[in-house]
Amino acid sequence: MRTALLTLVLLPTIASAADISFKDQLAPILARRCLGCHDNRKTEGRFALHTFEQMLKPGDSGERPIVPGKPSDSYLFQKLIETDESVRMPQEDDPLSATDIALFKAWIEQGAKFDGPAVTDRIVTLLPPRQHPQPPETYRVPVPVFALRFSPDGQSLFTSGVHEVLVWDATTGKLQRRIPGMPQRIHSLRFSPDGQTLAVAGGAPGEYGEIRLLSLSTGAARVLPAWEDVVLD
């Protein structure tokens, strides 16, 4: 405990004038580093944090996870700064960075305010749409095709790539178009009845899932609320 308190004192200082946003700053950290062991399907220590409401409920320890204004009394925060790897969170993984921990500390000191739509919303739905990296310029080795779909007129074949959808001429087999900005792995492609919108579903296993609705005429995309895991269909 003494080591944990020393860590608390030595954490970098986040400017107190700036309010920490749970939705914009903390939810992405929780989704990326904590939900793998503490979502509604897997709750290590009977502690779940897939919603803000659930995050405030004690687990097996009986300790309050968050005590507004008091990081030193907040069980969740103490687990983040614990130096014993056998009890620190996240377990079997690298600890949070000093900057991320400082954000949690400042947020609790500021009263642990929730700035999302509803405390019962899943934390992953609070996250902004992901900004995906560019697909590879060329594929050095063949990659699995997890999804394919002919266009409604049968002239083109849409197939999955890495962070992109590839459009091929159905007659000649030549590449017509590459559509970037897509999930890492695409598992499903579906057209709207009028053929003007393409639904692209996928994500990264164990990390995130999403559905993008792509307008084939304008290129604009609308992203539906995120899922905790990859969307298969």
Side-chain angles (χ1 to χ4, degrees):
M1 184 66 175
R2 181 177 302 172
T3 305
L5 289 176
L6 178 60
T7 303
L8 180 60
V9 172
L10 295 178
L11 283 175
T13 301
I14 301 294
S16 59
D19 287 339
I20 305 301
S21 167
F22 178 86
K23 176 174 64 71
D24 296 333
Q25 294 171 272
L26 299 189
I29 301 172
L30 292 169
R32 186 176 68 252
R33 301 299 308 277
C34 305
L35 280 178
C37 293
H38 297 282
D39 64 8
N40 56 321
R41 296 164 299 176
K42 181 181 180 182
T43 53
E44 293 289 341
R46 299 195 181 213
F47 176 59
L49 46 71
H50 56 287
T51 69
F52 185 79
E53 178 184 56
Q54 195 66 42
M55 177 179 164
L56 300 182
K57 297 180 180 179
D60 284 345
S61 69
E63 302 283 345
R64 292 178 64 186
I66 301 294
V67 180
K70 299 180 179 181
S72 60
D73 293 338
S74 299
Y75 186 73
L76 172 60
F77 183 75
Q78 292 303 310
K79 297 286 278 187
L80 295 179
I81 64 174
E82 176 59 62
T83 57
D84 185 344
E85 293 185 3
S86 66
V87 295
R88 188 203 69 222
M89 292 199 303
Q91 289 191 9
E92 300 180 3
D93 197 357
D94 293 333
L96 296 190
S97 69
T99 300
D100 287 348
I101 293 176
L103 285 173
F104 277 93
K105 177 177 181 287
W107 173 70
I108 295 173
E109 288 175 339
Q110 293 172 3
K113 300 172 185 176
F114 178 73
D115 56 351
V119 297
T120 55
D121 287 345
R122 292 180 300 125
I123 282 179
V124 293
T125 67
L126 305 178
L127 308 182
R130 283 180 175 247
Q131 299 298 314
H132 296 298
Q134 287 295 310
E137 290 188 15
T138 59
Y139 290 88
R140 300 181 186 178
V141 297
V143 296
V145 175
F146 292 104
L148 57 85
R149 183 76 57 176
F150 281 100
S151 59
D153 61 10
Q155 299 300 307
S156 300
L157 177 64
F158 289 67
T159 67
S160 62
V162 178
H163 289 300
E164 68 176 339
V165 172
L166 302 167
V167 187
W168 310 84
D169 186 298
T171 302
T172 66
K174 292 183 177 180
L175 182 63
Q176 295 178 320
R177 181 182 176 192
R178 301 178 70 176
I179 306 175
M182 296 295 139
Q184 175 184 345
R185 185 180 294 181
I186 298 169
H187 283 276
S188 183
L189 297 168
R190 297 289 183 90
F191 284 95
S192 61
D194 62 6
Q196 297 302 304
T197 301
L198 178 67
V200 182
E207 184 178 346
Y208 75 95
E210 69 175 38
I211 297 177
R212 289 184 176 249
L213 303 179
L214 176 68
S215 170
L216 296 177
S217 59
T218 68
R222 180 165 65 93
V223 184
L224 302 184
W227 280 261
E228 288 97 337
D229 211 334
V230 62
V231 179
L232 300 177
D233 202 356

